Amino acid sequence: MAQIWKEKFDFKNHKDFMSSYELGGSEICESRKISFIYFVKVVGETFQFVDIDQVKMMKDYLSLEIFPSTRKYNNGLEHHWHSWQERLPKGIHKKSKKDRIMKALNKLEEFIISDDEL
């Protein structure tokens, strides 16, 4: 069973892990007008999202049958920077986990939409 919750955005405590290649996430600018950070815990992992667009990006990625190569050109200086897809937990691409994550993401998306309507 997935757990879904939100936390009031605090620029000191929350980072954006999907918008940059930085391992520890990037700072979220206060001017972005973000009120809440959304979380879903499923298959023993906790995923954090800044907005509904990030949830949709994750759903789009997990809906792929064949995942793209993670090998990308870099200038050799940034060998330890990885995109958010490359930092996903091991085994997440297995069908059983993927199905449970997709179901939880659908519930999270509904949660965010209903939260925005209030």
Side-chain angles (χ1 to χ4, degrees):
M1 182 90 171
Q3 295 175 332
I4 295 171
W5 73 95
K6 66 180 180 180
E7 293 179 5
K8 188 148 180 67
F9 171 64
D10 180 2
F11 75 96
K12 294 176 187 171
N13 296 329
H14 295 113
K15 300 208 179 226
D16 186 354
F17 293 96
M18 292 179 71
S19 296
S20 74
Y21 285 80
E22 295 178 49
L23 190 58
S26 62
E27 298 289 326
I28 303 172
C29 182
E30 284 184 275
S31 64
R32 271 186 74 182
K33 305 294 184 217
I34 295 171
S35 300
F36 296 99
I37 302 294
Y38 298 94
F39 297 87
V40 62
K41 183 172 184 171
V42 62
V43 298
E45 302 291 340
T46 302
F47 301 97
Q48 173 183 314
F49 302 95
V50 172
D51 55 26
I52 197 165
D53 293 332
Q54 288 187 348
V55 176
K56 290 178 181 177
M57 280 183 356
M58 178 79 150
K59 285 174 57 177
D60 290 344
Y61 177 75
L62 289 177
S63 67
L64 298 173
E65 290 293 322
I66 299 173
F67 295 96
S69 171
T70 57
R71 292 189 59 142
K72 295 184 178 123
Y73 172 78
N74 68 36
N75 61 6
L77 300 174
E78 310 298 342
H79 63 279
H80 58 278
W81 284 21
H82 303 288
S83 68
W84 65 270
Q85 298 98 330
E86 297 168 308
R87 290 182 266 135
L88 290 172
K90 183 179 178 181
I92 204 166
H93 299 100
K94 292 181 181 177
K95 182 162 176 40
S96 61
K97 282 188 177 183
K98 195 165 72 164
D99 290 345
R100 292 188 346 209
I101 293 169
M102 287 295 281
K103 187 176 179 181
L105 291 175
N106 286 332
K107 286 182 182 179
L108 177 62
E109 193 172 21
E110 291 172 14
F111 176 78
I112 294 171
I113 290 170
S114 66
D115 192 46
D116 286 343
E117 291 174 354
L118 297 177

